[in-house]
Amino acid sequence: MIRITIACRVAHLADAAQFSRATGYGPEDELTFTLAPEYRDAAGNLCRVASGLVAGVYLTDAVSPLIASAWGADMAAAARAQALIAIWQPPEDPEVMPEPFAAPARIAAVIGDDPQAALMVLGLTRSQSA
């Protein structure tokens, strides 16, 4: 199992829900971002952030051609979300502070055991309204 922390802009939540439903472990995965806490970037843009353990093969499955699950999903919406997925890679020089990885046209994923470190990479802080 690996931990993945994912930031999704509010504008992409509906498509991300269908992607989660299509690639998840059951129909309840559609709620992944609905139940997630709200965060903001430095410009005040809202995101939902989900963090959890997934099977190691999930990353491969998430970027492979989508296959409809037994419980169904809106595959066009799932494909739109999949096109926005970007997986963070650490910089070659660990002393270099990267730009915040969460971006408006991206569903940003960080792989790592520490969700707080992932939030730093994403450049997000907990929303005051959350």
Side-chain angles (χ1 to χ4, degrees), residues 38-127:
E38 205 166 70
Y39 287 79
R40 291 184 185 274
D41 65 14
N45 298 304
L46 289 176
C47 295
R48 294 282 177 97
V49 175
S51 185
L53 296 173
V54 296
V57 71
Y58 183 80
L59 290 177
T60 301
D61 291 347
V63 297
S64 296
L66 294 172
I67 299 169
S69 60
W71 45 86
D74 177 338
M75 298 307 286
R80 287 191 300 269
Q82 185 182 47
L84 298 176
I85 294 173
I87 301 171
W88 183 78
Q89 299 292 323
E92 288 184 28
D93 181 353
E95 299 298 316
V96 173
M97 187 61 165
E99 292 290 320
F101 194 64
R106 164 185 303 159
I107 296 175
V110 176
I111 311 308
D113 293 329
D114 184 351
Q116 294 306 313
L119 288 171
M120 288 179 58
V121 167
L122 293 164
L124 300 174
T125 56
R126 189 75 182 257
S127 175

Side-chain angles (χ1 to χ4, degrees), residues 23-41:
T23 61
Y25 302 113
E28 63 280 354
D29 284 321
E30 181 176 352
L31 301 175
T32 296
F33 292 103
T34 302
L35 302 175
E38 205 166 70
Y39 287 79
R40 291 184 185 274
D41 65 14

